[in-house]
Amino acid sequence: MLDHQQELRFCKARRDAIARDFYRLNPEQQKAVLATEGPLLLLAGAGSGKTTVLINRIANLMKYGRGSDCAEVPEWVTPDDLALLENYAQTGEGDPFRIEQLCRLEPAAPWTILAITFTNKAAGELKDRLSAMLGPAAEDIWASTFHSACVRILRRDIEKLGFSSSFTIYDTDDSLRVVKDCLKDLDMDDKQFPPRSVLGYISRAKDALKLAPDYLAECEKSGDYRLTKIAKVYVEYQKRLWDANALDFDDIILHTVRLLQQCEDVRTYYQEKFRYVLIDEYQDTNNLQYLLASTLAGGYENFCVVGDDDQSIYRFRGATIENILSFENQYKGCRVIRLEENYRSTKHILEASNAVIRNNRGRKGKELWTKAGEGEKLHLYSAMNENDEAQYVATRILEHYSQGRKWKDHAILYRMNAQSNQLENACKRNGIPYRIIGGTRFFDRAEVKDMVAYLAVLNNTEDDLRLTRIINNPPRGIGAKTIETATEIARRDGVSIFSVIDNARMYPELDRSAGKLAQFTNLIAELSALLQVLPLDQFYEELMIRTGYATMLETKNTVEDRTRLENIRELLTSINGYLENAGDEPTLAGFLDEIALYTDLDNHDPDQDCVVMMTMHSAKGLEFPVVFVVGVEEGIFPGTRAIGEPEEMEEERRLCYVAMTRAKERLFLTCANQRMLFGRTSANRPSRFVEEIPNEHLERSGRSFLDRSSSWEGGIPSRSSGYEGGFGSYGSYGGYTARSPYDQRPEPRSAEYQSSFVRAMGTGNPPPSGGAYAPQRPKRTVAPAGGVKSAAAAGPDFKKGDMIRHKAFGQGMILSIQKMGGDALVEIAFDNVGTKRLMLKSAAAHMTKLS
DNA sequence: ATCATAACGCTTTTT
DNA sequence: GCGTTATGAT
């Protein structure tokens, strides 16, 4: 037994002893790891080692339980023990086994820890790192996304809410189709009520925990005609999901919350089960998710939320920054720890980012700092157009590559996926390997969704939506009319469409198509039988064949169909992946769950040496040595709908902050004076965010927005600090060429503006006979100072068999040149990097002929 | 019923 | 510029 004084000393020593395990962390990080009990708000800035803290915190929980954060002393502790521990705390010497025994206080079992993240990727990473640190015990930690945790809970108990536990999950696309159908059946105009926006209303209603009938009643009471109509769609929408035994993304959380609220036994079960609850990316939670998390944590209230209010970028889907801003009010007496030391970026990058985010009002206030060096200034390149912009990025990347950087050190970030095209092309023609993350995702492809729809119908024949998707795909002679009448009957009798077509003969209206329908239901029955006996992967192969889907693609045999076929085969990889991971009894339902919540944002493997292109949103949580943020223009970033909307603007600024803080060493921003987007050209001024970066952190090149006209027409040097080093090739021109060196578009049709190369290759001008690419001018001309009409893009002429040196790829020989449009495709065998196919116009800028 | 073409509209971000 | 959808022809 210890006296009170000794107990206090013991607790301090215990804490210090435990802290030794985390000596690598900085003091604030340690605090966060050791504060195990009670509500904790962890404000973790970008690159502050948030995940590390999370992992170590869990490790602490499992190893020492409450040891580091409580005033309790076991009765068996002796003064000798105290001395031992104090000595260890100071010197690190002592029997580790005994020390651990002394420090430990009710270690948490893995299954009592719930760690929730937003993306599958984050959850996977968390699991991996926990496994690496804690071994197999980590398997039992509930580390998952909101959605998968909820599905797990619902599968167990949703029947208490009257749903079947074999529910299917609708993704946004499915939901949208249902809304469209509802609108049609309710005779509503989908221009007056855009399905997307209707879905938004439904989603917000759910976020406010309002069920369809209540919402309708409320809207009727308010007398708002439009809202009432929308509420009616909500009612109908929900009815259809119910009939299909389906839940949408919001329902998954909503019903979990309802289940916990309504069923005391379920609530108590989880509240007692989860001793520690951790929520990552708390700034991205919406109301529903807050309710869920706080309810689950309601037992022990060991509720740790981690987030960064400055990185909240999902307001559009209901995330409310309020959750993080008001956490302290909701949990009086909670502890707040700020992680403000940044381990990722250089000073220039960090301070520029700080300067930008400082313009936001609704924030907790936080200034990141770093011990890292100044690094290089950020760079803004003002391009002439989107093409020039892309070429600039490509050139920079080639340059870095030639200096020894890896491709994968580079990331290109843009505001919207539509911007990726030009960049993709620039990479292609310059021989830069790249990967696009996001965009049309694998599981969003029509052919993949078709195959998944087959699986979904086999899993749940009441899934009318999926059924109608595949009933005539591939074509089976079951037309729209037949489907429509079957749907009507189904609705009338309150049964599923499948049961109607399965008994088609009983309905005179369907008599004519009964044969065709029977063929289809037989197919399903046959597959269903097969499913019972075959393992999932083999079954899937049968599915591809017996449905006729594979055959359909094979016979068409266009380029697209080839890739489609590959895609549906690729689904087999997913199945195998599932079979490997799902240790206990893999089921079709289990697989469908997994892919319903899966996006292929998750499979960006960092080992592949590729430049990575993605939206700024997708980049959250990632880091790269070199980052290009493109399209930094008013109207794009910030987007038009943010201009004039202070709230939206702050969100855009946060997005900007996220994008900028991805960069470790170099950060390039680019904008274009003129850009074609969505088929329209527009001239945008550089983004206000750029103006918010102090000049001491930013250097500029290209042409500024204001002197666009003068430099275009007169070629007067627009700024002394003009672009100076186009990868060595354009380094010495002091004046301005009319065309940017990066421009890849056909040149103006005036002889003075045409380079010899373009004249040879240009669309209207066939190359002169007698040496296809015979020089018309000597080597690349360097513009005279102030020179106006030089042809900077002109290059020497290359021909098959030439030995060349490429600035990034080194020495090589031209294998072939193939004319293509206004350009040519060259195939070059490089000594070191293998054979590459490049577009000549781009490549020429980086190549010299070896004589 | 199915294919082809035209017209149309729509463009953030995603679990 | 894209993809989707509505319409008409086979």
Side-chain angles (χ1 to χ4, degrees):
Chain A
M1 279 289 276
L2 304 180
D3 64 32
H4 183 62
Q5 260 325 306
Q6 287 172 318
E7 284 192 348
L8 289 181
R9 277 168 56 200
F10 181 84
C11 290
K12 180 171 185 313
R14 181 170 59 189
R15 189 190 150 93
D16 291 346
I18 293 174
R20 282 198 162 268
D21 272 23
F22 306 102
Y23 72 97
R24 258 181 290 237
L25 305 183
N26 72 37
E28 292 304 305
Q29 291 176 325
Q30 281 191 18
K31 254 198 223 170
V33 167
L34 301 180
T36 61
E37 306 305 294
L40 170 68
L41 171 60
L42 192 54
L43 291 170
S48 62
K50 177 191 66 170
T51 313
T52 309
V53 168
L54 224 50
I55 310 260
N56 283 284
R57 195 168 187 278
I58 292 175
N60 181 34
L61 293 172
M62 286 179 57
K63 193 167 174 193
Y64 299 112
R66 324 204 294 280
S68 61
D69 197 24
C70 102
E72 223 175 284
V73 178
E75 293 199 357
W76 47 262
V77 175
T78 66
D80 279 353
D81 289 331
L82 174 60
L84 203 69
L85 196 63
E86 282 185 330
N87 179 50
Y88 175 80
Q90 285 205 333
T91 64
E93 284 162 19
D95 171 25
F97 187 75
R98 181 63 184 160
I99 298 298
E100 188 177 332
Q101 225 171 19
L102 287 171
C103 290
R104 192 159 63 194
L105 193 63
E106 290 181 27
W111 56 86
T112 64
I113 299 171
L114 174 67
I116 292 192
T117 62
F118 252 84
T119 62
N120 296 303
K121 186 173 141 247
E125 258 171 35
L126 198 60
K127 271 188 211 154
D128 289 348
R129 288 179 63 175
L130 284 170
S131 295
M133 192 159 183
L134 305 168
E139 295 297 308
D140 292 323
I141 297 171
W142 275 52
S144 65
T145 63
F146 272 105
H147 294 270
S148 46
C150 286
V151 168
R152 200 163 158 185
I153 292 172
L154 290 177
R155 289 277 179 225
R156 194 188 169 98
D157 283 317
I158 197 173
E159 282 173 5
K160 294 187 170 143
L161 290 178
F163 289 86
S164 150
S165 64
S166 62
F167 61 84
T168 35
I169 299 166
Y170 277 6
D171 64 18
T172 313
D173 232 55
D174 299 325
S175 299
L176 214 52
R177 286 172 75 122
V178 177
V179 168
K180 279 181 195 159
D181 288 351
C182 291
L183 288 171
K184 206 173 207 172
D185 286 13
L186 292 172
D187 270 324
M188 288 165 66
D189 181 12
D190 58 0
K191 280 172 202 90
Q192 226 179 323
F193 298 93
R196 288 188 151 278
S197 124
V198 173
L199 207 52
Y201 279 96
I202 295 176
S203 183
R204 261 166 282 157
K206 287 179 179 174
D207 192 41
L209 219 60
K210 286 173 186 155
L211 299 186
D214 305 335
Y215 186 69
L216 177 60
E218 193 180 296
C219 292
E220 276 173 339
K221 209 166 138 206
S222 77
D224 187 320
Y225 171 79
R226 203 182 128 76
L227 271 184
T228 308
K229 293 289 269 187
I230 289 168
K232 284 184 175 153
V233 181
Y234 181 16
V235 172
E236 180 63 21
Y237 171 85
Q238 220 52 43
K239 182 186 172 301
R240 295 197 185 196
L241 291 208
W242 172 269
D243 288 342
N245 194 15
L247 303 185
D248 67 17
F249 282 138
D250 294 318
D251 286 339
I252 291 173
I253 317 266
L254 172 67
H255 289 133
T256 310
V257 170
R258 289 182 58 232
L259 180 70
L260 293 170
Q261 287 184 342
Q262 287 174 20
C263 304
E264 207 195 325
D265 54 330
V266 180
R267 182 174 67 241
T268 317
Y269 172 76
Y270 286 106
Q271 287 187 340
E272 282 175 6
K273 176 182 172 67
F274 294 128
R275 204 172 123 192
Y276 295 99
V277 176
L278 302 92
I279 312 289
D280 195 9
E281 308 285 11
Y282 192 64
Q283 74 281 354
D284 289 335
T285 52
N286 62 25
N287 180 250
L288 226 38
Q289 287 159 334
Y290 158 71
L291 282 175
L292 175 78
S294 61
T295 308
L296 288 175
Y300 294 87
E301 295 230 322
N302 293 327
F303 187 25
C304 169
V305 301
V306 188
D308 179 357
D309 45 320
D310 291 333
Q311 291 190 66
S312 166
I313 53 173
Y314 288 110
R315 201 172 81 104
F316 66 93
R317 64 176 194 213
T320 160
I321 196 166
E322 277 309 305
N323 279 166
I324 202 163
L325 295 181
S326 61
F327 188 82
E328 287 174 87
N329 295 330
Q330 277 148 2
Y331 291 90
K332 297 285 179 205
C334 79
R335 283 179 277 187
V336 182
I337 297 172
R338 285 182 157 75
L339 302 182
E340 292 176 300
E341 178 172 3
N342 174 290
Y343 295 95
R344 182 184 292 153
S345 313
T346 64
K347 279 205 173 68
H348 275 308
I349 293 171
L350 210 53
E351 274 161 29
S353 311
N354 276 336
V356 170
I357 198 66
R358 215 173 284 141
N359 293 289
N360 271 8
R361 321 206 68 209
R363 61 190 291 251
K364 286 258 180 195
K366 193 165 36 39
E367 288 275 307
L368 295 189
W369 58 278
T370 178
K371 289 178 193 151
E374 295 278 307
E376 304 217 35
K377 285 190 180 185
L378 319 206
H379 193 100
L380 173 73
Y381 176 70
S382 304
M384 275 198 320
N385 54 48
E386 73 282 356
N387 224 288
D388 181 25
E389 177 185 54
Q391 189 57 31
Y392 172 79
V393 172
T395 302
R396 283 273 91 91
I397 293 175
L398 282 175
E399 179 186 85
H400 294 154
Y401 181 79
S402 71
Q403 291 163 359
R405 283 216 197 260
K406 298 269 177 240
W407 300 119
K408 67 178 172 190
D409 291 342
H410 302 84
I412 308 174
L413 309 183
Y414 35 79
R415 181 66 240 265
M416 40 192 179
N417 286 118
Q419 287 171 263
S420 68
N421 253 327
Q422 298 298 136
L423 295 157
E424 196 179 349
N425 291 337
C427 285
K428 269 188 199 155
R429 61 176 180 247
N430 284 291
I432 299 172
Y434 65 93
R435 249 172 83 80
I436 296 180
I437 312 281
T440 10
R441 299 200 301 271
F442 179 69
F443 287 102
D444 285 344
R445 287 164 205 261
E447 63 276 17
V448 177
K449 293 201 94 174
D450 288 341
M451 293 316 285
V452 171
Y454 275 105
L455 294 172
V457 168
L458 284 162
N459 180 237
N460 169 18
T461 51
E462 288 182 347
D463 195 336
D464 289 354
L465 188 80
R466 266 65 173 260
L467 181 76
T468 49
R469 185 184 179 98
I470 45 127
I471 189 165
N472 197 35
N473 185 3
R476 298 189 176 88
I478 301 169
K481 193 83 187 70
T482 310
I483 296 169
E484 197 182 310
T485 48
T487 312
E488 268 164 30
I489 296 167
R491 188 136 319 139
R492 187 190 68 201
D493 294 1
V495 294
S496 71
I497 297 179
F498 186 82
S499 74
V500 171
I501 62 169
D502 201 20
N503 303 298
R505 264 168 265 277
M506 286 166 56
Y507 306 97
E509 307 95 298
L510 288 175
D511 200 52
R512 218 152 45 90
S513 25
K516 299 266 173 66
L517 289 173
Q519 267 183 356
F520 177 74
T521 53
N522 285 340
L523 171 70
I524 296 296
E526 175 191 327
L527 288 167
S528 195
L530 227 46
L531 180 62
Q532 305 303 314
V533 293
L534 289 179
L536 212 51
D537 51 340
Q538 282 179 39
F539 169 75
Y540 181 75
E541 296 196 58
E542 285 297 319
L543 183 73
M544 286 192 290
I545 296 161
R546 301 206 184 200
T547 54
Y549 208 97
T551 326
M552 174 179 73
L553 293 177
E554 275 161 13
T555 44
K556 277 198 198 161
N557 202 21
T558 65
V559 193
E560 289 92 349
D561 290 311
R562 286 242 150 267
T563 54
R564 287 195 187 111
L565 196 60
E566 275 168 33
N567 284 334
I568 65 168
R569 290 242 167 81
E570 182 60 27
L571 195 55
L572 200 56
T573 315
S574 304
I575 291 177
N576 284 322
Y578 167 73
L579 291 179
E580 275 165 33
N581 284 326
D584 49 333
E585 275 194 59
T587 60
L588 177 57
F591 175 67
L592 288 171
D593 269 0
E594 194 168 281
I595 61 172
L597 301 174
Y598 187 88
T599 62
D600 45 4
L601 190 63
D602 310 335
N603 54 21
H604 152 235
D605 79 69
D607 300 333
Q608 232 180 328
D609 192 19
C610 286
V611 170
V612 194
M613 300 168 42
M614 67 185 114
T615 64
M616 301 181 201
H617 282 86
S618 321
K620 196 172 72 162
L622 306 175
E623 59 177 34
F624 303 89
V626 184
V627 169
F628 296 86
V629 180
V630 302
V632 186
E633 292 152 42
E634 291 287 302
I636 293 179
F637 186 44
T640 33
R641 76 201 55 208
I643 293 169
E645 301 278 329
E647 298 258 295
E648 292 286 321
M649 187 56 76
E650 297 218 338
E651 171 118 338
E652 293 283 291
R653 191 174 282 110
R654 289 192 293 266
L655 185 57
C656 183
Y657 178 73
V658 168
M660 291 173 74
T661 52
R662 297 311 95 197
K664 294 162 88 167
E665 296 164 34
R666 309 262 356 231
L667 176 55
F668 294 89
L669 309 171
T670 63
C671 59
N673 285 309
Q674 183 178 303
R675 163 184 314 269
M676 180 152 77
L677 196 62
F678 305 133
R680 246 167 234 301
T681 53
S682 56
N684 304 317
R685 58 179 334 108
S687 169
R688 68 192 66 195
F689 302 145
V690 172
E691 307 309 323
E692 292 168 3
I693 300 173
N695 275 327
E696 55 188 299
H697 302 305
L698 183 70
E699 60 181 25
R700 301 166 187 250
S701 71
R703 56 188 69 218
S704 79
F705 182 75
L706 290 175
D707 35 59
R708 173 165 50 129
S709 57
S710 65
S711 48
W712 175 254
E713 282 158 15
I716 298 156
S718 51
R719 48 187 322 124
S720 49
S721 65
Y723 179 64
E724 277 169 22
F727 202 10
S729 306
Y730 308 100
S732 56
Y733 66 83
Y736 235 96
T737 49
R739 291 179 64 78
S740 157
Y742 301 111
D743 198 349
Q744 291 296 318
R745 295 176 315 164
E747 312 211 356
R749 289 291 231 141
S750 127
E752 288 92 335
Y753 280 88
Q754 276 191 357
S755 70
S756 59
F757 176 70
V758 166
R759 185 174 294 161
M761 300 298 301
T763 24
N765 304 315
S769 53
Y773 308 107
Q776 303 212 335
R777 273 193 218 179
K779 292 227 165 145
R780 183 182 303 120
T781 37
V782 168
V788 181
K789 285 160 184 173
S790 70
D797 301 284
F798 297 101
K799 58 182 182 300
K800 192 174 159 178
D802 281 355
M803 295 299 293
I804 55 96
R805 168 168 290 284
H806 187 282
K807 290 263 160 57
F809 301 126
Q811 206 163 304
M813 189 182 76
I814 297 180
L815 295 180
S816 70
I817 300 185
Q818 203 181 346
K819 203 177 130 190
M820 272 179 68
D823 205 340
L825 180 75
V826 280
E827 206 175 359
I828 304 174
F830 289 103
D831 296 349
N832 295 321
V833 296
T835 301
K836 280 189 179 284
R837 310 171 84 193
L838 310 174
M839 294 313 289
L840 184 50
K841 257 170 93 180
S842 299
H846 308 143
M847 282 169 18
T848 46
K849 207 161 155 178
L850 300 174
S851 42

